[in-house]
Amino acid sequence: MLSDFDLDFLDGGQRRRTALGAGWNVRFEAVLPVRGFRWNKGNRGFPGWYYAVTTGDHVGYESWLERDRLILLDFDPDVVGIASQPFWLHWRDGGAKRRHAPDYFVRLAGGRTQLVDVRAEGQVDERTAEAFAATERACSAVGWWMADPQAGTYFRATVSEDG
C-alpha cells in the first residue's frame, strides 16, 4: 500500500518527490502550497488568505467553504498546525496517472495528523470521489486521519421574529 503512492511537495523552496512510506513524517504543516491561489474576475471560486492564530501566518483557501473550515480549524484547541495544499498525492488508477492536492494538512496535539478536503454537498463527482478514496487509502497506510469532506462546513442561523 505505501508503495502505491508518492508525495510531491515544496521543502525549503525546493520541489521534492518521495514515496509515501518515506515521507509520511515530513512536517507538512510548515510547507508552502504546491499550487498557487488565483484571483480572476468571474472566477467560480472565492480564493483568499486567512490569518490563522494557530500558525501565526496566512493560510490559503479557494472557496467560502474552505475558508469556513479553516476558521473552525483555527479555533480548535487540538489543532497546532495547518497548511493549505501541502502536497500532491500521486498514484495510478489502472494505467492512468492521477494526482490530488488535499485542501489542508492539519497537525493535531500529540503529533496526530489529519487531512482535510472540503466540498459542498452534491459537488463530488465520480473523479473527485475516486481521488478522496485514494487519499483515504493513503491516510490509512500511514496512520493519518481523513476528515469527512462535507463535515463542519455548513452553518445555519435561526432567527425568531421576536428578535
Side-chain angles (χ1 to χ4, degrees):
M1 181 68 76
L2 289 176
S3 61
D4 293 345
F5 299 98
D6 283 346
L7 299 172
D8 177 1
F9 58 97
L10 295 170
D11 183 17
Q14 300 294 315
R15 193 125 206 147
R16 269 185 63 195
R17 185 163 176 163
T18 187
L20 176 63
W24 66 270
N25 60 349
V26 172
R27 291 182 35 86
F28 287 111
E29 66 270 31
V31 300
L32 295 172
V34 291
R35 68 173 187 236
F37 298 93
R38 290 181 232 122
W39 291 265
N40 297 318
K41 186 175 183 172
N43 192 9
R44 287 184 47 196
F46 183 77
W49 294 96
Y50 170 79
Y51 182 82
V53 174
T54 299
T55 64
D57 204 352
H58 289 90
V59 180
Y61 59 87
E62 294 180 307
S63 70
W64 290 55
L65 290 177
E66 283 185 26
R67 184 209 55 195
D68 291 349
R69 176 64 76 89
L70 183 55
I71 291 168
L72 289 173
L73 291 169
D74 196 26
F75 277 84
D76 186 334
D78 287 336
V79 173
V80 297
I82 310 166
S84 56
Q85 299 170 348
F87 53 78
W88 288 109
L89 178 67
H90 293 266
W91 73 96
R92 287 194 173 274
D93 185 5
K97 293 180 180 179
R98 296 282 307 270
R99 72 178 187 170
H100 171 65
D103 292 324
Y104 299 110
F105 177 92
V106 179
R107 181 73 66 192
L108 301 170
R112 295 169 298 143
T113 298
Q114 177 183 32
L115 289 186
V116 178
D117 273 308
V118 181
R119 294 296 184 280
E121 190 172 358
Q123 295 297 312
V124 179
D125 59 20
E126 184 178 337
R127 189 163 173 82
T128 302
E130 291 167 357
F132 289 169
T135 304
E136 193 162 6
R137 287 192 309 274
C139 285
S140 293
V142 293
W144 294 347
W145 177 56
M146 180 158 176
D148 180 344
Q150 296 170 345
T153 55
Y154 302 102
F155 301 93
R156 183 189 322 219
T158 304
V159 179
S160 71
E161 292 185 20
D162 298 338

